[in-house]
């Protein structure tokens, strides 16, 4: 069975004064892996432009499409 979720994340953009060792994308990917999620729609991430990022430890690829800079 395919497990699909929708998650509203206010922002995944790390601020410059943030001293966490993990990025927000890694935290979201880790949480989704813990939920055994196959596909997720994550809203309000506020990433600029378009792109993708693969998190190899979790096996997830994050795709986004946002406003230009």
């Amino acid at each position: 069975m395919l497990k699909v979720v929708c998650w509203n994340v206010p922002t995944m953009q790390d601020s410059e004064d943030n001293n966490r060792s993990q990025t927000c994308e890694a935290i979201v990917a880790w949480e989704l892996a813990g939920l055994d999620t196959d596909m997720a729609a994550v809203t309000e991430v506020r990433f600029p432009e378009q792109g993708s990022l693969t998190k190899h430890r979790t096996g997830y690829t994050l795709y986004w499409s946002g406003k230009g800079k």
Side-chain angles (χ1 to χ4, degrees):
M1 181 182 344
L2 183 68
K3 187 172 183 180
V4 180
V5 300
C6 182
W7 189 4
N8 184 358
V9 178
T11 184
M12 286 175 40
Q13 190 85 27
D14 278 338
S15 63
E16 293 192 19
D17 60 339
N18 188 345
N19 60 5
R20 288 184 302 197
S21 61
Q22 294 182 314
T23 63
C24 290
E25 316 77 66
I27 294 168
V28 168
W30 189 258
E31 290 293 328
L32 292 173
L35 295 171
D36 195 26
T37 302
D38 297 305
M39 185 183 308
V42 182
T43 61
E44 296 191 34
V45 295
R46 299 184 186 143
F47 283 165
E49 308 291 321
Q50 294 180 352
S52 66
L53 178 65
T54 300
K55 293 295 183 183
H56 296 287
R57 289 185 67 190
T58 61
Y60 284 99
T61 300
L62 308 171
Y63 299 94
W64 65 88
S65 179
K67 294 182 180 179
K69 290 184 179 187

